[in-house]
Amino acid sequence: SQKIEQNSEALNIQEGKTATLTCNYTNYSPAYLQWYRQDPGRGPVFLLLIRENEKEKRKERLKVTFDTTLKQSLFHITASQPADSATYLCALVASYNTDKLIFGTGTRLQVFP
Amino acid sequence: EPEVTQTPSHQVTQMGQEVILRCVPISNHLYFYWYRQILGQKVEFLVSFYNNEISEKSEIFDDQFSVERPDGSNFTLKIRSTKLEDSAMYFCASSEGGSVGWGELFFGEGSRLTVL
């Protein structure tokens, strides 16, 4: 069956460290993968998009990698801050013929001072 | 900064009633979407809308649901004969153009629907 999985356990890290979140998928060959941030009771906010032919994308303190062999995307936040505490969602677009985003369950990140 | 706005922020309704959730997408965006998130669960795609018609819908989006763009600014989701399991946060989103993979989706803050 098709699955997109993120660590359900919260990730707790100290301020200033690098947070690494994992997104694994099964039985998809996604055209694109996106990462969103979601704060409690609020809508997702877009962070980064990476295409199937791209290995890595960066934006300020954020970096995303995409390994189509491992069927995995990693999302990194360097020099993390308490304000980065939120749930991070990965979402894939299954093919070039669809508008549908398929979301993972998200990983809650807690950055403590 | 332009944003997607949704009303109401919270609606409580009795089972069997009809509800309409309203959204004002970003003005120059062409693609519109509804997603929902049941408490503690994943964000799920419901429907996409382009050029005044549904372009894609999920298996959740059955005859109980409908969408409409009644004028140049609003985008609505109608849920007929609500059921307890329709209780969720409903998110409207819009994107500038092309398939969703070409860029970001802008989500609204959501409308929380509680069916009693």
Side-chain angles (χ1 to χ4, degrees):
Chain A
S1 64
Q2 294 177 312
K3 284 190 279 190
I4 175 169
E5 294 176 305
Q6 298 182 253
N7 285 347
S8 56
E9 289 183 19
L11 177 63
N12 297 308
I13 66 165
Q14 192 170 23
E15 183 176 10
K17 302 291 187 185
T18 296
T20 298
L21 289 76
T22 305
C23 177
N24 295 298
Y25 57 91
T26 308
N27 292 326
Y28 285 109
S29 295
Y32 310 94
L33 201 142
Q34 301 188 11
W35 283 86
Y36 287 80
R37 169 184 172 139
Q38 187 175 29
D39 290 285
R42 308 198 70 177
V45 175
F46 173 83
L47 296 173
L48 282 168
L49 175 153
I50 189 163
R51 296 180 172 84
E52 61 171 345
N53 60 348
E54 296 175 319
K55 297 283 188 197
E56 183 179 296
K57 267 285 190 61
R58 292 175 185 261
K59 179 182 172 184
E60 297 171 352
R61 295 185 297 112
L62 309 180
K63 183 178 86 171
V64 62
T65 63
F66 193 8
D67 189 326
T68 55
T69 302
L70 291 179
K71 297 188 182 298
Q72 181 181 79
S73 176
L74 298 179
F75 179 78
H76 307 270
I77 306 174
T78 58
S80 57
Q81 305 164 0
D84 295 326
S85 299
T87 296
Y88 290 86
L89 311 176
C90 74
L92 60 81
V93 177
S95 73
Y96 292 93
N97 298 319
T98 179
D99 279 334
K100 179 171 69 175
L101 275 177
I102 302 167
F103 282 87
T105 50
T107 298
R108 187 163 180 275
L109 173 67
Q110 185 74 37
V111 181
F112 56 92
Chain B
E1 185 174 320
E3 59 181 16
V4 175
T5 57
Q6 291 186 240
T7 55
S9 56
H10 189 192
Q11 177 147 2
V12 181
T13 191
Q14 294 292 322
M15 193 167 54
Q17 296 296 305
E18 175 181 286
V19 298
I20 297 176
L21 306 179
R22 292 181 168 81
C23 170
V24 179
I26 294 171
S27 62
N28 64 332
H29 285 188
L30 300 176
Y31 289 76
F32 314 114
Y33 311 85
W34 285 100
Y35 284 78
R36 79 173 185 188
Q37 187 173 30
I38 295 170
L39 189 63
Q41 297 188 24
K42 297 182 182 186
V43 176
E44 300 176 287
F45 171 82
L46 292 178
V47 67
S48 58
F49 191 87
Y50 170 70
N51 201 25
N52 282 321
E53 60 183 24
I54 290 173
S55 53
E56 191 171 357
K57 60 183 182 179
S58 72
E59 59 276 9
I60 302 168
F61 194 89
D62 58 20
D63 292 343
Q64 186 193 0
F65 295 88
S66 62
V67 290
E68 193 178 34
R69 189 154 161 81
D71 53 40
S73 59
N74 290 286
F75 180 50
T76 63
L77 174 69
K78 182 187 289 186
I79 309 174
R80 287 178 282 274
S81 191
T82 50
K83 300 176 278 198
L84 295 177
E85 54 264 39
D86 295 328
S87 295
M89 182 75 94
Y90 288 81
F91 293 110
C92 175
S94 67
S95 64
E96 193 169 351
S99 76
V100 67
W102 289 100
E104 61 188 285
L105 256 60
F106 290 80
F107 283 83
E109 295 289 28
S111 292
R112 179 167 297 286
L113 176 64
T114 302
V115 182
L116 302 177

